Amino acid sequence: MLTLLMFVISFRTTMGEVDPAFVQDQQHRPKLSIIEAKGIPEIDLSPILPHAAPDQYDIDTLVKEIGTACKEWGFFQVTNHGVSLSLRQKLEEASRKFFAQSLEDKKKVGRDEINPTGYYDTEHTKNVRDWKEVFDFLSKDPTFIPLTSDEFDNRVIQWSNPSPQYPPQFRIIIEEYIEEMEKLAYKLLELIALSLGVEAKRFEEFFKDQTSFIRFNHYPPCPYPHLALGVGRHKDAGALTILAQDDVGGLEVKRKTDQEWVLVKPTPDAYIINICDIIQVWSNDVYESVEHRVTVNTKKDRFSIPFFLNPGHDAEIKPLEELINEQNPSKYRPYKWGKFFVHKIGSNFKKQDVENLQIYHYKLS
Ligand code: OGA
Ligand code: NI
């Protein structure tokens, strides 16, 4: 409780006023009335569970459902996904224990500009500070990444994972959970590939030296939830995100039909899946990466755990050849994932004066 209090106080100026770093522009502030998203599709993955006898009809139906969800929402929830609930609960409990430590202890596994894994509480989204603290952990240790975002600089460095001392076993539980996330992510990628009419394993090659990571988010109660956001509006830059949220609620998605922000209602033991920028580019805009954000509240701590599936740094991202032709030409010029990623990470680390890099910067007119 004391740490939490200190955290809240450290986010306010000494005058007891709102720290302007957190204040969103008028048009991006959350509304007090929220719309609950009934429409976010809930998709039952039982036809592809390992012990299920494969039934072609059920799989075809599932592929259609996924395709419709990707087109209409860019977001969906999955149930019967095969990830152990007790493992998820162990991880969620470990996350709470980690964030309950003193700031000083958390900073022992703090992020720096060389190795941006571990703990930090100063992330900015679109140059406004987020009301949250996070702990990042890579899928692969080491992860290879370009040193700079300069396209002519070929130097590559290695990122590695922090070794949190508390809670005990944290690292082992995370590693076990990441394995489950990768398995689920590959299954989803196959279904998405089929839904686009390309081979099931079409995307596999991109993930050999993947730069995926898992993030632990803690959104403390906020004294001015009408001004600040837990995470400002953004699209996820990678391929696919698999999010575990707790029962508090706060994630909002921009509905494609009317551009309204709608709440993604927590469903116990479900995972929220969203299409990210790379699938948008691969699909040549058939699917879109949808904007989302997180609101905060005055009373409850909220915890969430996204797994960001990202390709290898060297992957060249461009629309799939099978999906383009003369009538439907490529909408993007190719870009290297690693360069894009490094650029993004730099801009999220501190406030900058320029607009962040986005995929539309690669759009062909
Ligand atoms: C993110 C994100 C949503 C949430 O971390 O990119 O969108 O509910 N998080 O925490
Ligand atoms: Ni996100």
Side-chain angles (χ1 to χ4, degrees), residues 103-174:
L103 190 57
E104 191 191 349
D105 282 340
K106 287 182 279 197
K107 284 196 168 162
K108 285 181 191 155
V109 281
R111 166 180 171 166
D112 57 45
E113 295 215 29
I114 315 275
N115 216 18
T117 58
Y119 174 82
Y120 63 113
D121 62 1
T122 54
E123 188 163 71
H124 289 75
T125 302
K126 300 208 189 327
N127 295 322
V128 181
R129 193 165 158 198
D130 294 327
W131 191 272
K132 68 171 181 189
E133 49 178 351
V134 316
F135 179 75
D136 286 348
F137 196 93
L138 300 160
S139 262
K140 302 288 174 236
D141 192 349
T143 289
F144 297 91
I145 206 86
L147 179 62
T148 69
S149 57
D150 174 356
E151 61 176 311
F152 300 107
D153 183 350
N154 289 325
R155 289 173 296 171
V156 169
I157 51 161
Q158 296 183 13
W159 287 348
S160 52
N161 273 326
S163 294
Q165 296 305 301
Y166 183 86
Q169 308 289 310
F170 194 20
R171 200 181 159 120
I172 290 166
I173 301 167
I174 300 174

Side-chain angles (χ1 to χ4, degrees), residues 132 215 217 219 231 234 236 241 243 245 250-251 292-294 302 304-306 308:
K132 68 171 181 189
R215 167 166 289 177
N217 285 311
Y219 305 97
V231 188
H234 68 283
D236 294 348
T241 303
L243 175 87
Q245 69 166 337
L251 172 62
H292 53 285
R293 67 181 186 186
V294 174
R302 176 172 181 268
S304 73
I305 310 173
F308 299 107

Side-chain angles (χ1 to χ4, degrees), residues 247-259:
D247 59 1
V248 173
L251 172 62
E252 294 182 344
V253 172
K254 204 169 207 182
R255 184 161 54 196
K256 286 179 78 174
T257 48
D258 57 5
Q259 309 295 304

Side-chain angles (χ1 to χ4, degrees), residues 189-248:
L189 278 183
E190 289 192 20
L191 294 167
I192 290 167
L194 291 172
S195 77
L196 286 167
V198 300
E199 262 186 63
K201 305 259 186 217
R202 180 64 170 88
F203 300 129
E204 216 177 73
E205 57 172 311
F206 295 102
F207 295 93
K208 254 183 244 117
D209 299 306
Q210 58 181 281
T211 55
S212 306
F213 68 103
I214 192 164
R215 167 166 289 177
F216 297 86
N217 285 311
H218 171 217
Y219 305 97
C222 174
Y224 43 96
H226 51 299
L227 299 176
L229 287 168
V231 188
R233 72 193 198 287
H234 68 283
K235 298 175 177 183
D236 294 348
L240 198 71
T241 303
I242 304 179
L243 175 87
Q245 69 166 337
D246 67 10
D247 59 1
V248 173

Side-chain angles (χ1 to χ4, degrees), residues 48 100 108 116 124 166 168 178 215 251 261 280-281 298 319 336:
I48 56 155
K108 285 181 191 155
H124 289 75
Y166 183 86
I178 284 178
R215 167 166 289 177
L251 172 62
W261 287 107
Q280 174 167 344
V281 173
T298 54
K336 284 277 182 170

